[in-house]
Amino acid sequence: MTDNGPTAATPGGAAAQPATTTGGAFLAGVVTAGLGLGVCTVSVLLLWIVAPAPAAGSPSGALHIAADLWLLAHGADLVRTAGPGAAAVPVGVTPLLLVAVPVWLLYRCAQRALAAAGGGPRRHARGRGALRRPASPGAVLGRFLGGYLLTAAAAVAYAASGALRVAPVSALLCVPLTAAGTVAVVAARTVGLGAVLPLPARARQLWAGLPPGVRAALAPPRRAAALRAACAAGAVLLAAGALLVMTGLVWHAGAVRHHVLHVAPDWPGRGTVLLVCLLLLPNAAVWGAAYALGPGFTLGAGSTAGPLGAAGYPAGLPPFPLLGAVPQEAAGSPLTWAAAIGPVAAGAAAAWYAARPARAAAEAVREAAERTGGGAAARGPEARLLRWNRRSTATVAALAALVCGAGAAVLAGAAGGALGTAALRHVGPSWWLTGAAAAAWTAAVAVPGALALREWHLWRTLGRSPLRKLRSPLPKLRPPRTER
């Protein structure tokens, strides 16, 4: 990221101006927040223009709603009041597709600010003297984050009043957490998280004091393999949840159509409702994944909807189209139990990716043996295969299950929230039940599946009995002698 080579001189004798400084990174953070606010503002103003009777009233009200939506995209809660003296109603369900707008902007702009600060040529101060040192990645990202959060603070102050307003405490907690988390991912993928936030000495001592087996289980190759397996399992779970949602929408197409016509009798209103449904589709996919995992979700008032049955729906649910996909109150049946195919498929995907390092090592052993006739040159790939033994493969699968469970818990917590008081104070899946179920399903399928796949790869690639220990040389792989 930094250039320690000679600087390029200009015709005047001084080196070139750096592409950006820490001040430039601060400005980049301000611009990034402004871009996110601009996207929300343009979208809301377009809907306000086409609406025959805008609910926001004046353009100022539309701008307030745009700021509210931008803060909601960071996870902040909103509060709605029907009029003076009316009770405040919380709105805490964040559309997950809306979250992609600030997160993507943060990710791309932080990458560019970091690359520009570290990759540009340096110059002498005022054309002479010692060279300026390039800004450290931590300083650049810190200034970038400061500019972003300063703009967010101004947006919170602007949106803290009105009929629909942001909850300031929630915004002050969620916006820095979202921004800092995204910037931390940028640092981890570019310069390494240790270059920005080095571990304190106490943490390094605790790491050194861990048992060797634990440190070996958390070594970088195993962490990377476990992360790939967990991502594959999570993707399959979300795909299964999305498939359940689409099936429910098609199954109850009549009720969905009735809800759309009831909520918005005119075409601009219907377009707005469909846009809101599109923004909430990832939330619905997470709800569907929680349904497939077993814990299901709630629509408030202690209700449950899962594969074992649905009961206790509160009266007076809002006629929202996506709620038409919710199963009717009834006991579970073999048709609803079939939703367990999703978690099984997710565990199988994790097992496949957990066994891939052993398969690659076995293929390397075979190629080396075919080149050398099973001699000493094949021992290097065999040592790599020995490192990916049964214990390593099972460890990767177990780590993938834990990571998948943690990700499912985070998504379940973000996909639900409050839509009112009393009965609707919480809707959506339970984060801890969903996370525990995802970890249990993935571990139950991935650990034995990865071990079985490893043995199958060894038998298929090396022609060995699955129960035979790995030994060298490899007599079966020696090329046949050619007759003279």
Side-chain angles (χ1 to χ4, degrees):
M1 293 301 298
T2 58
D3 181 14
N4 294 324
T7 57
T10 61
Q17 175 71 24
T20 188
T21 60
T22 53
F26 181 87
L27 182 60
V30 174
V31 172
T32 303
L35 286 174
L37 282 167
V39 170
C40 294
T41 301
V42 170
S43 303
V44 171
L45 286 178
L46 285 176
L47 294 175
W48 178 81
I49 291 172
V50 300
S58 63
S60 176
L63 294 177
H64 270 84
I65 292 178
D68 290 331
L69 289 179
W70 184 73
L71 295 170
L72 180 66
H74 292 79
D77 294 336
L78 303 182
V79 178
R80 177 176 57 86
T81 53
V89 177
V91 179
V93 177
T94 301
L96 293 183
L97 191 59
L98 187 62
V99 177
V101 174
V103 169
W104 182 80
L105 286 173
L106 273 166
Y107 186 87
R108 294 295 298 170
C109 294
Q111 267 189 333
R112 289 180 177 274
L114 193 60
R122 296 165 291 171
R123 64 166 294 175
H124 292 275
R126 296 186 179 179
R128 61 182 182 274
L131 284 172
R132 289 181 182 176
R133 291 185 178 180
S136 65
V140 172
L141 293 179
R143 301 298 193 281
F144 176 86
L145 193 59
Y148 190 89
L149 294 180
L150 181 64
T151 309
V156 171
Y158 177 75
S161 61
L164 181 64
R165 60 187 182 274
V166 69
V169 176
S170 174
L172 293 177
L173 290 176
C174 295
V175 176
L177 185 63
T178 302
T182 307
V183 170
V185 172
V186 172
R189 290 182 58 86
T190 53
V191 297
L193 197 57
V196 178
L197 292 174
L199 284 176
R202 180 61 178 169
R204 291 194 296 268
Q205 291 175 359
L206 290 176
W207 172 259
L210 291 176
V214 175
R215 283 183 289 162
L218 299 176
R222 296 182 184 178
R223 289 203 309 264
L227 184 60
R228 287 192 294 268
C231 290
V236 173
L237 274 178
L238 290 177
L243 181 61
L244 287 176
V245 172
M246 294 302 168
T247 303
L249 290 175
V250 173
W251 193 274
H252 304 98
V256 173
R257 180 177 178 276
H258 173 74
H259 289 169
V260 172
L261 297 178
H262 179 79
V263 173
D266 54 354
W267 284 106
R270 293 170 191 170
T272 303
V273 170
L274 293 178
L275 177 61
V276 173
C277 291
L278 178 64
L279 294 176
L280 287 171
L281 270 182
N283 299 61
V286 175
W287 288 31
Y291 182 93
L293 287 168
F297 53 88
T298 179
L299 295 178
S303 62
T304 57
L308 300 180
Y313 292 168
L317 283 175
F320 191 67
L322 285 180
L323 292 180
V326 174
Q328 297 178 353
E329 295 185 78
S333 65
L335 184 62
T336 60
W337 301 339
I341 297 175
V344 173
W352 178 266
Y353 278 87
R356 281 183 65 182
R359 182 186 67 178
E363 291 175 351
V365 170
R366 181 179 182 85
E367 292 174 0
E370 289 175 348
R371 288 195 307 266
T372 63
R379 297 182 184 272
E382 286 207 6
R384 176 187 170 193
L385 182 56
L386 284 172
R387 287 194 297 270
W388 288 103
N389 52 21
R390 297 187 183 96
R391 178 182 297 178
S392 299
T393 304
T395 299
V396 168
L399 286 176
L402 292 177
V403 175
C404 181
V410 171
L411 287 177
L419 283 180
T421 57
L424 296 178
R425 66 181 178 271
H426 177 73
V427 296
S430 169
W431 66 270
W432 70 272
L433 285 177
T434 304
W441 274 103
T442 307
V445 178
V447 174
L451 291 174
L453 282 172
R454 177 187 180 275
E455 301 300 334
W456 182 75
H457 287 317
L458 290 182
W459 174 79
R460 180 173 175 269
T461 306
L462 303 179
R464 295 178 175 179
S465 170
L467 300 179
R468 181 181 176 184
K469 292 184 178 180
L470 180 63
R471 295 175 183 174
S472 58
L474 304 176
K476 289 189 176 183
L477 297 178
R478 290 176 179 173
R481 295 180 180 178
T482 57
E483 297 181 359
R484 295 183 180 178

